[in-house]
Amino acid sequence: MQEIQTNITLDRARAWGLLCEYTQNESLRKHMLAVEACMRAYARKFAAEGIDPQADEDKYGVVGLLHDFDYEKYPTPAEHPFVGSKVLEERGYPEEIRRAILSHADYANVPRQSPMEKALFACDELAGFITATALVKPGKSLAEVEAKSVRKKMKDKAFARSVSRDDIVNGAAELGVELEEHIAFCIEAMKGIAKELGLAGS
């Protein structure tokens, strides 16, 4: 029974249904898709390199897809991601997934320990920043975005000012990867779903 339950909770269609139930905002949906793509790519990398030999692409993906699903309805630090965590528990999602999602908010005081938790924090703000960078390119395309241009934009405090530069920098450090390498890795992951993100160019 437990095995069936776990498979259900890692079902992407079910997770997407939950996301859409709580999130109507198109940009926020796309953000979660972008983080999912980055998380899936890191699951493959971690499994291949032995960093997390048990890394499950579906599990990493669901964590990325659902990390902000409650944000539109419950955006305050008092609510997000705590309300979402309760909903996930009610829907039968395992503690490992709920803990990872709680850990992406520093104020939740859930220390990031596993590679999956560290990857979520590292990819969250960066995915948003990469999207913002792509949207100001002439063709509004991820194909035009390079790690160097992202680094350059990070220095411009007026650009995408709501995105935490510290979280991007600290996320890569926690993950143990060089920042530019991490940025390039996430750009490539997001290119794989550029059309769904509306960033395939005109």
Side-chain angles (χ1 to χ4, degrees), residues 20-171:
C20 292
E21 182 186 329
Y22 277 78
T23 305
Q24 304 308 312
N25 183 288
E26 200 63 35
S27 295
L28 192 50
R29 285 184 181 185
K30 285 175 180 175
H31 169 66
M32 287 181 269
L33 285 171
V35 176
E36 178 198 18
C38 297
M39 289 293 286
R40 285 182 174 275
Y42 266 116
R44 294 191 292 271
K45 178 182 166 73
F46 289 169
E49 295 178 0
I51 294 165
D52 182 1
Q54 305 301 313
D56 182 303
E57 193 179 324
D58 289 328
K59 188 194 295 172
Y60 274 60
V62 163
V63 164
L65 195 60
L66 292 177
H67 79 283
D68 273 349
F69 87 93
D70 64 339
Y71 186 79
E72 186 179 305
K73 287 189 176 184
Y74 305 101
T76 68
E79 298 168 318
H80 167 74
F82 307 107
V83 173
S85 185
K86 286 199 182 88
V87 172
L88 292 175
E89 187 173 12
E90 285 160 11
R91 303 280 176 112
Y93 282 83
E95 202 256 341
E96 185 184 13
I97 284 177
R98 300 195 313 270
R99 189 186 192 284
I101 289 172
L102 284 172
S103 78
H104 91 277
D106 278 339
Y107 55 81
N109 293 318
V110 176
R112 291 178 287 276
Q113 295 166 343
S114 71
M116 182 169 72
E117 290 166 356
K118 291 175 183 177
L120 177 61
F121 181 71
C123 295
D124 182 18
E125 294 288 289
L126 179 58
F129 199 84
I130 290 169
T131 296
T133 305
L135 287 171
V136 296
K137 293 292 182 184
K140 296 190 182 341
S141 163
L142 280 167
E144 299 169 273
V145 179
E146 293 178 347
K148 279 197 182 84
S149 61
V150 173
R151 287 289 298 270
K152 194 175 173 187
K153 283 284 185 194
M154 281 175 68
K155 291 173 185 166
D156 178 357
K157 291 193 169 67
F159 178 77
R161 58 162 58 95
S162 65
V163 178
S164 169
R165 273 64 164 171
D166 286 347
D167 283 2
I168 293 174
V169 172
N170 295 337

Side-chain angles (χ1 to χ4, degrees), residues 5 8-19 91-93:
Q5 177 73 0
I8 288 171
T9 57
L10 297 183
D11 179 80
R12 191 192 181 277
R14 188 169 176 259
W16 178 250
L18 177 59
L19 184 158
R91 303 280 176 112
Y93 282 83

Side-chain angles (χ1 to χ4, degrees), residues 1-10:
M1 188 71 185
Q2 186 57 42
E3 192 177 344
I4 296 168
Q5 177 73 0
T6 303
N7 288 344
I8 288 171
T9 57
L10 297 183

